[in-house]
């Protein structure tokens, strides 16, 4: 059942929605998650507890931090009479419930920690005098303890650095946090924790002769009284001149792994996705490089690893070795031996048949559209892996999926979005990993933009039944593209002709409706009308149409003049005699029709995001 | 247009009146100009001396020497494309001001000369020549260099410019630099300069970069190369608005003149994590090929001869290498998420050290 209320903020959904994207495909359902609107870049985190129940924490549009339990109840974690103070967020599932961590100024500046079991909802300050900044992680172990690593700027530390990493542990039994331990210099708190409570922390540090990646191991054995569970000496993993924020640690069985995006060369465009593993608790490390993506700038990285040495990495990446022009794409790499060897990088999007969609031998039309922020998870069926990502091939953002039945070795990719919601934009954030497996299939925490300004969003949950996963694996689905047929081209010619006829007649209220919705969302009709009418068109003939995916280039021969007018800003009289020129405009296939992309010629600005 | 350009350059070179040959000349340097169908650059040149040139480049009283270095067409957005040179001697007179639309959008019927300038003392109309140097090469970006023959210690040339986007009415401007020589190394923006970076989704931030040299008016073309990059600590980084350091910056090299998007100076992972912007130390310095000509490395100017430039072991804060102008403009009629009912266009020229 679909029940919608149109509001000033956009479309609010009440109750569950279930959509089939194409005839016969099993339905994916959509449910609202967060009760409140968020800024488009608002931070959130999600985690499952040991019983598989999903917990969610997020900042609403007023920057108030909220915790949502599996039953849908939400509570504010900060007083509701203030804003702009809390920042940063980490959430981790516990044996029963979840723990949240954030930085705040109230009641005093510090790092705050709260478990969902806390009855008085009074958070504990765990950062002490470390001057914590808004970057931290929390990881729970099988004992129920939560390990905390954060970035602080306390001066005068013996490391000689202004920027250091600190560790603390929340003991479920007390419950209380241990005193902060200075770990090492760094700005990215990267840590992984084994169920036993063993901890490995990582950091990149600059040095006179180039940077280095370090690890420090902290065993769980012994306990505080024995003095054994202290961080051991730092170990150099590798020499790396620079790293980006793409740094990720995880385990595969008993093996520790750390992956980073390094920057090499004077121009720092020699991007190298590389890593190292250790089987002796960080005493020694073996380095590896994922050279298929050398020169590719990575914007996001998520990991799925099981206990049987299977690892799948999914990344957002684009080649920036020579320039900054290419669009982002999504890739997967896998290992069947816990990272000792790695596969080639596989583009998760299915290449498009050239003859069907207007591509050329040199360029797949998919390369014209961004894809980003993939998430990945192993399923309940051995060997099954599901990857989902945000894809702009339909000009709007949609969620697409790919399935592997052999632990990531080969993939089947959907050519249609998981949900086809007319007029909606569904996206994913670069973190956290947003896909959660269950016995019934998978759940994905996605972001639904409130409108085409793409300024606000609301979190939603997509439930993907196992039957739909089977359909993806079998290649079901239909492309959102119109095709490159003569019928489609003729329809576009007619639509472009109608647009130009309205332009000639000065019917600008009509021409406004031909423009892309992202422009119209930001530029109301009255402002558009105020900018139109200076140029008088006497003739417009659509001459050529070229389609690639959901983009078309339309060539139109026009005759136009500028009658004399006075510039409002300078008083200058301006006019131009009639002349004939050919203009090329881009038209877009959106929501089942062709719309003209609005471009601010002087600034080369468009309002679309693909 | 191009034939006249080449001929004028060749004549100037043959008779030895390039900037290098006329060390005593005063000059004025407009470090950035842009021209397109909807953007133009209005430049005002103020000349207070009678020590000028004639139309052939000989010392006289009647002409100024204009050189417009530009890249046009597909090269406009090619940061590493060299410039071409438009080289012309055009009328002047002492105490004259001439305001020119370099694009010829305005004052199209008066050779680009604006605001009812009578062709009496400065006989610009009688020459039949065009002051709109970019009229036929739009879209283009470049810089303008003007000199006279004045050998006194007095500054005799000055200038101002403003960019005008006449579709929206947005405009920005700057004061041109002047010098007693052709060297504009002292005009380079301080490196590093702390720069504010606005939220990327709402405001576009770009840097116009013009490398400087001991000879800012080379013959025929300009292929001087400079680098801009964010390096705020040893981590190659910047700060977000919550005082978090974040690494992953990317240097950008520019030949002659170029427009560098701030977003392109960040790795994609960095860009995604600093959506609200922040601040960074912006470095600018000349680069030259290394000893094996396999990469471009930081350069330093010789202390005793600014025309000599050589590889350096690292970037130095005393070898500033480019004029850098920051431009900020909105995309969708909002600022801080609140409607502003139109567009804005702000510029800041980072001052020399």
């Amino acid at each position: 059942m679909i029940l919608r209320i149109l509001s000033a903020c956009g479309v609010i959904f009440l109750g569950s929605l279930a959509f089939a994207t194409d005839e016969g495909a099993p339905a994916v359902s959509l449910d609202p998650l967060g009760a409140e609107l968020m800024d488009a870049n608002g931070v959130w985190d999600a985690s499952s507890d040991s019983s598989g129940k999903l917990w969610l924490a997020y900042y609403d549009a007023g920057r108030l931090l909220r915790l949502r339990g599996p039953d849908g109840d939400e509570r504010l974690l900060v007083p509701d009479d203030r804003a702009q103070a809390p920042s940063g967020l980490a959430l981790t599932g516990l044996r029963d419930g979840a723990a949240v961590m954030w930085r705040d100024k109230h009641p005093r500046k510090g790092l705050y920690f709260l478990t969902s079991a806390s009855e008085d909802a009074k958070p504990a300050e765990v950062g002490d005098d470390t001057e914590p900044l808004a970057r931290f992680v929390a990881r729970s172990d099988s004992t129920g303890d939560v390990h905390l690593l954060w970035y602080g700027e306390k001066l005068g530390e013996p490391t000689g650095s202004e920027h250091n990493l600190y560790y603390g542990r929340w003991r479920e039994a007390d419950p209380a946090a241990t005193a902060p331990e200075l770990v090492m210099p760094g700005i990215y708190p990267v840590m992984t924790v084994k169920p036993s409570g063993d901890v490995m922390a990582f950091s990149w540090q600059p040095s006179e002769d180039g940077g280095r990646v370090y690890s420090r191991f902290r065993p769980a054995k012994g306990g505080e009284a024995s003095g054994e569970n202290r961080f051991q000496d730092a170990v150099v993993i590798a020499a790396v001149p620079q790293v980006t924020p793409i740094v990720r640690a995880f385990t595969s069985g008993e093996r520790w792994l750390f992956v980073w995006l390094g920057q090499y060369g004077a121009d720092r465009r020699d991007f190298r996705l590389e890593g190292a593993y250790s089987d002796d608790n960080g005493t020694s490390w073996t380095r590896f490089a994922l050279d298929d993506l050398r020169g590719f700038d990575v914007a996001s990285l998520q990991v799925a690893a099981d206990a049987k040495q299977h690892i799948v990495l999914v990344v957002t990446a684009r080649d920036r070795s020579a320039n900054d022009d290419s669009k982002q794409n999504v890739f997967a790499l896998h290992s069947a031996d816990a990272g000792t060897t790695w596969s080639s990088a596989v583009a998760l999007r299915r290449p498009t048949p050239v003859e069907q969609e207007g591509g050329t031998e040199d360029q797949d039309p998919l390369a014209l559209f961004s894809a980003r922020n993939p998430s990945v998870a192993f399923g309940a069926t051995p060997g099954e892996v599901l990857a989902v990502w945000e894809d702009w091939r339909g000009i709007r953002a949609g969620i697409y999926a790919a399935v592997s039945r052999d632990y990531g070795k080969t993939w089947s990719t959907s050519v249609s979005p998981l949900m086809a919601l007319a007029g909606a934009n569904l996206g994913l954030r670069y973190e956290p990993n947003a896909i959660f497996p269950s016995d019934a299939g998978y759940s994905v925490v996605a972001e639904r933009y409130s409108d085409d300004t793409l300024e606000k969003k609301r979190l939603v949950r997509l439930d993907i039944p196992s039957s739909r996963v089977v359909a993806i694996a079998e290649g079901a689905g239909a492309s959102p593209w119109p095709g490159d047929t003569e019928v489609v081209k003729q329809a576009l010619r007619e639509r472009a002709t109608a647009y130009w006829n309205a332009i000639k007649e000065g019917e600008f209220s009509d021409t406004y409706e031909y423009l892309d919705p992202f422009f119209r969302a930001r530029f109301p009709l009255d402002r558009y009308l105020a900018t139109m009418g200076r140029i008088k068109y006497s003739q417009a003939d659509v001459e050529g149409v070229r389609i690639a995916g959901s983009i078309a280039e339309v060539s139109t021969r026009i005759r136009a003049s500028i009658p004399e007018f006075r510039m409002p800003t300078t008083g200058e009289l301006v006019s131009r005699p009639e002349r004939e020129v050919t203009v090329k405009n881009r038209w877009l296939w959106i929501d089942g029709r062709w719309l003209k992309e609005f471009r601010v010629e002087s600034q080369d600005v468009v309002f679309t995001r693909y | 247009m191009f034939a006249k350009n080449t001929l004028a350059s060749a004549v100037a070179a043959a008779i030895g009146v390039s900037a290098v040959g006329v060390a005593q000349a005063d000059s004025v340097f407009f470090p950035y100009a842009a021209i397109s169908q909807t953007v133009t650059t209005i430049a005002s040149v103020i000349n207070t001396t009678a020590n000028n040139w004639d139309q052939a480049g000989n010392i006289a009283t009647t002409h100024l020497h204009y050189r417009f270095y530009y890249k046009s067409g597909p090269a406009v957005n090619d940061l590493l494309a060299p410039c071409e040179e438009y080289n012309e001697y055009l009328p002047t007179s002492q105490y004259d001001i001439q305001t020119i639309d370099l694009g010829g959008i305005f004052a199209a019927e008066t050779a680009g000369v604006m605001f009812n300038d009578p062709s009496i003392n400065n006989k610009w109309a009688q020459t039949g020549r065009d002051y709109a140097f970019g009229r036929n090469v739009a879209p283009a970006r470049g810089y303008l260099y003007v000199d006279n023959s004045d050998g006194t210690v007095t500054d005799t040339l000055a200038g101002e410019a403003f960019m005008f986007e006449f579709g929206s009415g947005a405009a920005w401007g700057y004061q041109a630099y002047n010098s007693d020589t052709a060297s504009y190394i002292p005009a380079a923006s301080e490196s590093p300069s702390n720069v504010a970076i606005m939220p990327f989704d709402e405001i576009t931030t770009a840097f116009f970069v013009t490398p400087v040299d001991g000879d800012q008016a080379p013959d025929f073309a300009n292929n001087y190369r400079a680098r801009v990059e964010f390096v705020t600590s040893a981590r190659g980084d910047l700060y977000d608005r919550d005082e978090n350091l974040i690494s992953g910056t990317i240097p950008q090299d520019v030949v002659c003149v170029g427009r560098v998007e701030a977003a392109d100076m960040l790795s994609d992972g960095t860009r995604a994590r600093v959506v609200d912007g922040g601040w960074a130390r912006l470095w600018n310095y000349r680069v030259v090929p290394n000893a094996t000509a396999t990469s471009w490395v930081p350069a330093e100017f010789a202390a005793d001869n600014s025309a000599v430039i050589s590889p350096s072991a690292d970037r130095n804060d005393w070898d500033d290498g480019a004029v850098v102008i920051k431009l900020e403009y909105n995309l969708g009629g909002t600022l801080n998420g609140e409607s502003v009912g139109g567009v804005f266009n702000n510029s800041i020229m980072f001052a020399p050290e």
Side-chain angles (χ1 to χ4, degrees), chain A residues 71-201:
Chain A
D71 56 3
D73 286 345
E74 284 194 10
R75 59 168 150 161
L76 278 170
L77 298 182
V78 295
D80 61 2
D81 58 351
R82 46 178 279 252
Q84 300 287 338
S87 57
L89 176 62
L91 177 73
T92 186
L94 303 176
R95 286 187 295 193
D96 182 19
V100 193
M101 193 175 177
W102 70 95
R103 195 190 71 158
D104 206 345
K105 294 177 182 173
H106 295 276
R108 63 184 177 88
K109 183 180 176 184
L111 192 59
Y112 287 89
F113 181 90
L114 181 73
T115 67
S116 57
S118 171
E119 292 183 357
D120 61 0
K122 188 174 180 181
E125 201 289 313
V126 298
D128 201 19
D129 65 348
T130 61
E131 296 289 333
L133 289 155
R135 199 178 283 153
F136 35 79
V137 293
R139 300 280 186 269
S140 59
D141 64 27
S142 61
T143 71
D145 287 0
V146 183
H147 303 261
L148 315 172
L149 190 72
W150 66 92
Y151 158 41
E153 57 178 353
K154 179 183 177 183
L155 298 177
E157 293 285 26
T159 61
S161 172
E162 294 179 31
H163 306 279
N164 294 288
L165 303 182
Y166 298 89
Y167 170 86
R169 183 159 59 97
W170 176 266
R171 292 178 304 207
E172 186 184 40
D174 291 347
T178 60
E181 298 174 37
L182 174 63
V183 182
M184 57 184 152
I187 60 173
Y188 299 123
V190 183
M191 169 182 70
T192 189
V193 177
K194 287 184 177 175
S196 63
D198 285 352
V199 173
M200 190 75 77

Side-chain angles (χ1 to χ4, degrees), chain A residues 139 238 347 381 464 469 471 491-492:
Chain A
R139 300 280 186 269
T381 305
I464 307 168
V469 176
L492 174 56

Side-chain angles (χ1 to χ4, degrees), chain A residues 318-392:
Chain A
R318 62 172 175 144
D319 186 357
R320 291 183 76 179
S321 57
N323 57 54
D324 304 311
D325 299 335
S326 61
K327 301 273 187 177
Q328 291 178 325
N329 200 357
V330 288
F331 299 88
L333 303 100
H334 85 282
S335 172
D337 52 15
T340 303
T341 59
W342 289 88
S343 72
S344 301
V346 176
L348 286 174
R349 298 200 288 182
R350 184 187 299 174
T352 312
V354 168
E355 68 280 7
Q356 291 179 17
E357 304 290 1
T360 67
E361 291 185 359
D362 296 331
Q363 187 177 50
D364 185 334
L366 275 174
L368 300 171
F369 309 95
S370 296
R372 62 178 189 170
N373 301 342
S375 284
V376 66
F378 287 105
T381 305
E384 184 178 284
V385 191
L386 182 69
V388 296
W389 65 90
E390 173 186 308
D391 199 313
W392 292 79

